[in-house]
Amino acid sequence: MAAARAVGLERAPGDGIRIRPLVERDWDELVALEARAYAESGLSEGGETLRSRAAVSPATCFALEYEGEFGGYLLALPYPLGRCPDLSLAETSGFASENLHAHDFVITEELRGRGLTPHFVRQIEAAARARGFERLSMVAVQRSHVLWARLGYTAHREVELPASYGAEAVYMSKAL
């Protein structure tokens, strides 16, 4: 199981949870989930832009599976510390970086509130360490910076974010 952990694949004890690489069959559900999570706040990127992020680093993009069904996803890509993708622009090339940017992380409505986020995050952190990344960063939106702070992430309010994130977004990172 150690090898599976290194690439982000592990079952949570007794939960029917599996974290695995994204596959083509995930995309319709992923795009629909992203729209439900972000359209109302104006943060939705749309399928083409989401796919461009995954294309840059498919080995660092994961699906959360619960009892064999799609339960959420993480799109992560190497990005220089202190920088992040602009939500209004597709990715055209990747970066060589020791920082892995967790760009988009969403769990389905049915699975929220079950304590899955810390488990998913631990697995992503382990996968990032196994790939040689030294830090994990993100932009916390919709007041999620409180959750991320509890998981060990530090706010970097000095980092200027693209306007596409809105005024309340907070850049955060954690040493791995």
Side-chain angles (χ1 to χ4, degrees):
M1 193 65 173
R5 242 181 255 133
V7 295
L9 304 173
E10 183 180 323
R11 287 182 79 89
D15 284 342
I17 301 290
R18 188 167 79 102
I19 296 165
R20 59 166 174 74
L22 279 176
V23 294
E24 185 59 36
R25 72 176 182 273
D26 295 327
W27 280 99
D28 287 343
E29 289 179 276
L30 185 154
V31 170
L33 177 58
E34 189 268 356
R36 291 192 309 273
Y38 298 121
E40 189 173 307
S41 64
L43 299 173
S44 183
E45 298 175 83
E48 186 176 319
T49 302
L50 292 168
R51 280 182 178 268
S52 78
R53 308 232 191 272
V56 168
S57 186
T60 57
C61 295
F62 301 93
L64 172 75
E65 200 174 89
Y66 178 71
E67 295 183 353
E69 300 294 324
F70 180 82
Y73 67 93
L74 170 77
L75 301 181
L77 56 160
Y79 237 81
L81 188 62
R83 292 184 53 200
C84 61
D86 186 319
L87 299 179
S88 64
L89 302 172
E91 293 299 317
T92 57
S93 63
F95 292 95
S97 179
E98 294 174 345
N99 180 65
L100 183 64
H101 186 75
H103 174 68
D104 197 4
F105 173 78
V106 183
I107 293 176
T108 61
E109 299 87 343
E110 297 81 15
L111 296 180
R112 289 179 198 155
R114 295 187 187 197
L116 299 179
T117 297
H119 174 73
F120 199 178
V121 169
R122 281 192 304 274
Q123 295 311 306
I124 299 313
E125 290 171 354
R129 276 191 298 277
R131 287 178 172 78
F133 291 102
E134 295 179 3
R135 290 195 81 76
L136 194 62
S137 65
M138 71 186 60
V139 176
V141 297
Q142 300 173 327
R143 298 183 199 99
S144 64
H145 63 282
V146 174
L147 166 68
W148 294 112
R150 283 195 308 251
L151 294 172
Y153 289 78
T154 301
H156 302 282
R157 296 187 186 275
E158 73 280 5
V159 173
E160 287 189 40
L161 297 171
S164 56
Y165 286 93
E168 293 184 15
V170 178
Y171 186 90
M172 303 183 82
S173 75
K174 178 180 181 178
L176 297 173

